[in-house]
Amino acid sequence: MFFVRKFYICSFLKKNFLNKDVIITNLKSFFACQVAQTTMAGIFSFYRGLNIFTLLKKEKKWIKSTYKKEDIIALGFGVHCYGLSSGQGAPKRYKGFLLIHRGGLLFKNRFSSTRFDVPGESIKKAYHATSHKGARLYKSAVKVDFSTSEKRMDTIAFKLAYPPQWIEIIEKAFIKKSK
């Protein structure tokens, strides 16, 4: 539609209608500075991770609608979860957020409906590790041992910033309570 319309308008211009004073241009230098600034702003926004900001807003909105503020103990975004040790195959890698609330741990994947919910009373141990399900992670991880409803032990592993702080939070919230 745009090209047809442009052609339609240009077809009425006659060569003798245009004076020598009129210059037809493509506005090459008119928008050069503004386009360069906008392009640089876009590049910097991707570098700073502002494109992820909209996803974080959506996740925070879900958390606020699901949990009361006083029930939330700790919240971390950009967390990698390597799944349960009882799962089949090599460790999977999910990216999302980790929520520690009064009832337990909750990991929710950002791009799918995958959720891992560990009740607080079933958590037995939180510790630092570099492998999960026999595979080396090449990253520092926090592993949490917990008992399942079938009375057997299972483990879930997370890669997140400052693992010692998260281990301390989990121990204070769940392990030392039960002792």
Side-chain angles (χ1 to χ4, degrees):
M1 180 78 179
F2 173 75
F3 295 111
V4 173
R5 190 172 187 200
K6 185 176 178 184
F7 179 76
Y8 179 74
I9 292 170
C10 292
S11 66
F12 285 109
L13 295 176
K14 306 261 191 251
K15 192 166 189 157
N16 58 3
F17 178 73
L18 297 175
N19 293 335
K20 302 245 185 230
D21 302 353
V22 177
I23 300 171
I24 297 176
T25 180
N26 62 358
L27 301 173
K28 177 181 163 187
S29 63
F30 184 75
F31 289 115
C33 189
Q34 293 86 344
V35 170
Q37 289 173 348
T38 304
T39 303
M40 290 305 295
I43 291 169
F44 289 141
S45 71
F46 280 113
Y47 176 76
R48 296 284 308 227
L50 295 179
N51 57 332
I52 303 297
F53 182 70
T54 55
L55 296 171
L56 295 178
K57 260 179 85 171
K58 182 180 163 188
E59 290 172 354
K60 279 187 176 182
K61 195 175 186 180
W62 181 87
I63 293 167
K64 283 183 180 180
S65 67
T66 310
Y67 294 94
K68 295 178 186 171
K69 190 174 183 178
E70 51 273 1
D71 290 340
I72 298 173
I73 298 169
L75 176 63
F77 292 96
V79 175
H80 293 272
C81 178
Y82 296 106
L84 298 172
S85 61
S86 61
Q88 298 292 322
K92 295 191 174 24
R93 188 168 171 180
Y94 305 102
K95 188 169 184 178
F97 68 87
L98 178 63
L99 172 68
I100 300 176
H101 55 91
R102 290 187 186 198
L105 300 174
L106 171 74
F107 174 83
K108 187 170 186 291
N109 192 3
R110 179 175 288 158
F111 299 112
S112 70
S113 60
T114 304
R115 288 173 55 171
F116 296 106
D117 203 351
V118 180
E121 63 271 1
S122 69
I123 296 174
K124 303 299 178 204
K125 183 179 173 185
Y127 56 98
H128 177 268
T130 56
S131 65
H132 185 58
K133 294 169 67 171
R136 186 171 158 86
L137 298 176
Y138 298 103
K139 292 178 170 78
S140 181
V142 172
K143 291 177 85 171
V144 178
D145 290 344
F146 62 97
S147 59
T148 62
S149 58
E150 295 91 32
K151 301 293 181 204
R152 62 182 182 87
M153 292 299 288
D154 206 351
T155 305
I156 189 165
F158 303 102
K159 184 231 173 236
L160 30 73
Y162 309 111
Q165 291 178 347
W166 284 92
I167 292 169
E168 184 181 341
I169 291 169
I170 293 168
E171 286 176 346
K172 280 183 181 177
F174 306 114
I175 299 169
K176 290 183 180 170
K177 261 188 195 176
S178 61
K179 288 182 179 180

